[in-house]
Every structure is written in structure tokens, then in C-alpha cells.
Amino acid sequence: YAPESQRVAGLVGLHTMKLIIKGLGLSALVLSMFAHAETKTLNVYAWGGYLPEASLKAFEKQEGVTVNYSTFENNESMYTKLKLLKGTGYDVVFASAYFIEKMGREGLLAKIDHEQVPNMQDTMQGLLGQAHDPNNDYSLPYIWGVTGISYNESMVEQPVTKWADLWDAHYEQQVMLIDDIRDVFGMALKMNGHSVNSKNEAEIKQAYESLVALKNNVLLYNSDAPQVPYVSGETSVGMQWNGNAYQGQVEMPELKFVMPAEGAVLWMDNFTIPSGSENKVLAHKFINFMYQPQNQAEIVNSLGYASATNAGRNLLPDELKNNATIFPAEDDLEKGEFINDVGAETLAIYEKYWQNLRTQ
């Protein structure tokens, strides 16, 4: 039997211990709530309507993160913002091939650790090791495709088969051009028999003069859902990305997509990780996740663009797997040419003429 003083001290000690335990429990609860509130965010920067919503939601659920998806209208505006932010603010940025070398050279991109992206091993032949990034140090293919011609066969008198047809006076105020400097100049260069990657200012100037001559036919420039002006009847003929052409055909079967006789402009869009990303491990996880076969198939299903892997294509139904708009024939691709980096000096020439064209 303990003396009264010892029992009182014991009760006080027990009460103090309960308060400590209670306090620890409350602290743990607060910390848990704080950790929950601090859910990681993956900041993604891409064109609008460019990522399958189902895949984004699945990644959020799998990793317990939030994907913050911001959009831009063209490569130039993306580059300008990333340059302004000095490579910070985003974790995954999508860029066309001809911007990769420039962005890497200027320190805007982090090197991609291929060991953290094992699913890339299934990439289709010919997509890796391109001139813009020979070792794929800074980029991995997301989608690839073609800039060709679309036309509404119910609104034109005869089939449109070549770039030169867009200059026909019959199409006054009916032509839509993609809002992309290299696509538009690539079209004019191909029409004049030159490379889409010309560094010759005389050839670039000739392309500019051809585009000035096209001015009366041009109704609008659009790179944000460019199938919509065709489907709405706003325009009848013009440039088109093949994936958006497919999206338009789903709504309007009379919308045709043509590989122009002079040769199409070929392009590839890529995953990149900005140098200032604070979530590089999560960024690698996202890229690897998007390379899973079901997500590669979902890209084609939801966007109508050719994704990068064999397994993804193999999961597609035959009507997509063998669709010539999504996956053009080899012969047509051989006549086309990939857009590559032309160097800062030459790009400045393109930009000078582009600004002149757009401000007329």
C-alpha cells in the first residue's frame, strides 16, 4: 500500500502521460492531415486536348497525385514561357522535334534517365535517334504524324491533291492554315520544290512570297482543335494534322485527308522534362506510365494520332490499326520530310518573314 503522496504523484504522472499520448495522437493526426493536404502536383504543359483524360485520371489514382494540365497554342509560345521561367514551373513539357536541340542547348531541359522509363524499349523503329536528339538525351517520342491537306468534298468541285491547289482562286476566303511557323513555311517550301528544313534565305523568301500570294484565300490560322472549322462549315479546304483530320472524320465522313503530291510535312512531338522541374522522379514515372500499352492505345483511341509503341498499336481494333489517316502508307511517308532544327540564325530568318506575313 503506497503512501498518499506516492499515489498522488503516480496519478499526476499517469495524467501527464495520458496528455502526452493524447498530444502525440493529435500531432500525428495533424501531420497526417497536413501530408494529405500537401499531395504532390505534376505540372504538365502541352497543346489543348492533347492528353487522354482517362490516362491522366488513372495516373492520378495510381500515384496519389494531382496533374495540373496547362496549355499553349504553339511551340513558340511554349518556348518563350519556358525561357522566361528559366526552365522552372513545369515537370513535363511537350515540344515538337525541331525545338528540342535548341532547348537542350540553352539549358532548359534535364537529361532523361532511360532506366526510369523501361517501357520506352517498345518504341517503333525509326522514332528514336532522330537528328534533333540522336541519343534521346532530352526527349522521348509521344506522338508522330503528318501535316497534309483536308477538304470537305461536299463543298469543293473537285478533289484537292497537292499543296499548289490551295492557291486556286476558287478557294478565296476558304482556306485554313495551321498556326505554326514551320508547318506553314514547310508547305510553301515543299510546293516550290525545296526542303522543309531549308537554310537558304532566298528559298525562305520565295516561300514567304508564295504565302503572301495565298493571302486572299486564307480565312484563318488555327492550331487549337483545327478540325472544328471544317466540321462547322467555316472553312472548306486547307492544312490539317492527320490526327485532327481523323477526329473530324468521326463527326463528318465527307472530310477528306490527303497526303499532298509534293510531299507532306512530317513531325514528331516529344516528352521533355524541364531543367527546373522539382518533381523529376514523378515526371519519369509519368512518361513511363504513358508508354504502357493500354495508354499508348488510348492516345490513338481518343486523339486519333499515331502513338510511339508497337504494343500500343497492336491493342487497337482493325479500323484504327489500319486507318490510313492515322497511320499513312510507307510510300506517302517516303515523299514527306521531318521538320528538324535549322539553328538560331536561320530560325530568326523564318520568324522575320512569319511576322511580316501575320501582320499584313
Side-chain angles (χ1 to χ4, degrees):
Y1 181 79
E4 183 67 14
S5 59
Q6 288 183 2
R7 285 196 301 110
V8 170
L11 287 171
V12 170
L14 184 61
H15 180 66
T16 303
M17 188 180 295
K18 283 181 178 178
L19 285 174
I20 291 170
I21 292 170
K22 225 170 158 185
L24 286 172
L26 184 61
S27 298
L29 179 62
V30 169
L31 286 171
S32 173
M33 289 171 66
F34 183 77
H36 183 70
E38 289 291 299
T39 299
K40 271 194 175 181
T41 298
L42 182 78
N43 292 301
V44 176
Y45 199 29
W47 286 269
Y50 192 69
L51 288 158
E53 191 175 337
S55 297
L56 293 180
K57 287 182 177 177
F59 181 75
E60 287 181 323
K61 184 177 180 181
Q62 175 182 296
E63 298 296 328
V65 300
T66 298
V67 175
N68 179 26
Y69 178 8
S70 303
T71 65
F72 54 79
E73 289 191 355
N74 51 48
N75 283 286
E76 288 72 26
S77 60
M78 172 277 296
Y79 166 77
T80 300
K81 188 165 187 182
L82 203 62
K83 183 83 170 173
L84 184 66
L85 295 173
K86 298 180 180 178
T88 66
Y90 299 103
D91 304 306
V92 178
V93 171
F94 290 81
S96 294
Y98 63 93
F99 262 80
I100 302 298
E101 184 179 347
K102 174 184 178 70
M103 292 164 70
R105 186 175 62 243
E106 294 180 2
L108 297 177
L109 301 179
K111 283 200 171 186
I112 295 177
D113 180 0
H114 294 180
E115 290 187 4
Q116 293 186 55
V117 193
N119 292 334
M120 66 171 278
Q121 301 305 323
D122 186 45
T123 301
M124 290 178 181
Q125 187 175 0
L127 296 185
L128 296 174
Q130 287 284 332
H132 63 272
D133 192 5
N135 298 314
N136 290 98
D137 288 327
Y138 299 108
S139 65
L140 287 172
Y142 174 58
I143 57 176
W144 59 276
V146 172
T147 304
I149 296 170
S150 266
Y151 69 93
N152 182 340
E153 66 176 354
S154 69
M155 294 176 68
V156 302
E157 294 180 3
Q158 57 188 18
V160 180
T161 62
K162 54 187 185 293
W163 290 124
D165 289 343
L166 301 185
W167 275 256
D168 192 310
H170 285 98
Y171 301 127
E172 184 176 357
Q173 288 296 289
Q174 294 183 53
V175 172
M176 189 199 82
L177 299 184
I178 295 292
D179 187 11
D180 185 282
I181 179 174
R182 295 295 304 279
D183 267 336
V184 171
F185 271 86
M187 168 190 71
L189 285 162
K190 290 299 275 186
M191 188 196 70
N192 289 324
H194 307 308
S195 166
V196 300
N197 299 306
S198 175
K199 296 183 180 181
N200 183 320
E201 184 164 3
E203 293 176 357
I204 299 169
K205 184 179 179 182
Q206 182 190 22
Y208 163 73
E209 290 168 348
S210 295
L211 292 167
V212 171
L214 181 63
K215 182 185 169 192
N216 287 341
N217 285 7
V218 176
L219 177 67
L220 76 159
Y221 289 80
N222 185 304
S223 61
D224 187 9
Q227 76 278 12
V228 172
Y230 294 99
V231 174
S232 67
E234 187 179 0
T235 189
S236 63
V237 64
M239 299 178 77
Q240 187 58 282
W241 294 320
N242 60 319
N244 289 85
Y246 170 76
Q247 293 174 39
Q249 288 167 347
V250 171
E251 295 185 58
M252 191 173 75
E254 60 269 31
L255 183 63
K256 302 300 178 185
F257 180 74
V258 178
M259 298 286 281
E262 302 97 328
V265 179
L266 308 182
W267 51 265
M268 186 193 305
D269 290 342
N270 304 266
F271 297 100
T272 72
I273 300 175
S275 54
S277 165
E278 296 180 0
N279 294 303
K280 291 186 176 71
V281 172
L282 188 60
H284 281 86
K285 283 184 178 180
F286 178 74
I287 296 171
N288 194 54
F289 178 83
M290 291 303 297
Y291 268 118
Q292 290 177 0
Q294 64 270 32
N295 292 313
Q296 289 284 293
E298 184 59 28
I299 291 168
V300 184
N301 277 315
S302 61
L303 305 184
Y305 280 108
S307 55
T309 69
N310 296 298
R313 186 175 181 180
N314 291 338
L315 287 180
L316 296 171
D318 288 343
E319 62 266 23
L320 291 180
K321 189 189 302 181
N322 303 319
N323 187 294
T325 297
I326 300 172
F327 297 100
E330 286 294 328
D331 291 347
D332 287 327
L333 289 174
E334 285 175 7
K335 288 191 290 184
E337 188 180 3
F338 272 104
I339 298 176
N340 291 322
D341 180 35
V342 291
E345 193 174 318
T346 303
L347 185 60
I349 296 170
Y350 278 97
E351 288 173 342
K352 175 184 70 175
Y353 286 113
W354 177 250
Q355 290 304 319
N356 289 343
L357 179 70
R358 295 304 302 277
T359 54
Q360 284 193 14

